[in-house]
Amino acid sequence: GTDAQAPALAPTPSLYETTVPFDDPEKMIVPTAVFYPSGREAEAKTTAQKLETMTPKFTRVAFRLRVGVFTTYDPRGDWKSAILHKAAESKFQAAFVIMDRPLDDVRRKAIAAEMEEQEVYFQEVLTISIEKKAFYTDVLLGLVFFFDSRKPSAGVEEKAP
């Protein structure tokens, strides 16, 4: 058997083509961003695809993530500000940040709290978790909780004592 040579591709701008429509009458579409360190584009694409195909079941809010921002970040720089700035500009509601090493708890909580003030769900994605089903189950639970806690509770009937 001869090895088929893959055509050499010119470097393309890191673009992920979303497969999710802007609107869905059945679901709330959640504008989502995936940020990744340079050199981790393949992992980032896998993550984006997996995020877009997640389907929450048994939730009051049917939603689907739509990755509209797909870009690199500098893990050694002040990426938190960069992401917040981008969120203000692009209006995404969920940010997934791919990293090789976990943040320490204090820092993670601080970042999540700051993002939450901007109505953005923050999730670090460790490269070792990208292929793990359990990770996406956790993400779904986190998102459900996040959106449930943010929805203005219009017309929630008060329980009479």
Side-chain angles (χ1 to χ4, degrees):
T2 52
D3 289 334
Q5 281 300 109
L9 291 174
T12 50
S14 52
L15 275 173
Y16 169 75
E17 290 297 324
T18 180
T19 55
V20 179
F22 267 117
D23 306 293
D24 182 331
E26 311 283 299
K27 297 182 188 77
M28 172 173 103
I29 299 291
V30 178
T32 299
V34 172
F35 294 91
Y36 58 95
S38 141
R40 289 285 185 200
E41 191 171 335
E43 291 89 337
K45 282 193 168 155
T46 301
T47 304
Q49 280 159 354
K50 286 179 181 285
L51 291 172
E52 288 198 335
T53 52
M54 284 191 320
T55 42
K57 294 173 180 60
F58 321 117
T59 56
R60 287 182 299 154
V61 192
F63 62 85
R64 193 161 172 205
L65 302 184
R66 180 183 195 281
V67 177
V69 173
F70 185 83
T71 186
T72 54
Y73 77 97
D74 176 5
R76 283 177 294 284
D78 179 11
W79 54 266
K80 185 191 64 182
S81 303
I83 289 175
L84 284 167
H85 181 77
K86 193 92 178 128
E89 192 182 86
S90 308
K91 303 278 182 273
F92 53 78
Q93 294 174 312
F96 292 85
V97 182
I98 294 175
M99 41 189 83
D100 294 322
R101 281 186 305 279
L103 295 166
D104 64 80
D105 255 17
V106 176
R107 183 145 185 246
R108 182 189 307 110
K109 287 197 173 81
I111 291 171
E114 223 174 306
M115 300 256 180
E116 211 163 301
E117 278 171 25
Q118 307 297 317
E119 305 286 313
V120 175
Y121 172 83
F122 166 73
Q123 176 70 55
E124 67 179 334
V125 181
L126 297 178
T127 44
I128 54 170
S129 305
I130 290 172
E131 295 295 345
K132 296 197 175 119
K133 235 191 177 91
F135 169 73
Y136 299 93
T137 309
D138 288 350
V139 165
L140 272 177
L141 291 171
L143 283 163
V144 166
F145 180 78
F146 185 80
F147 290 117
D148 272 1
S149 63
R150 305 221 109 36
K151 272 207 324 292
S153 39
V156 173
E157 64 284 351
E158 290 294 308
K159 297 258 188 302

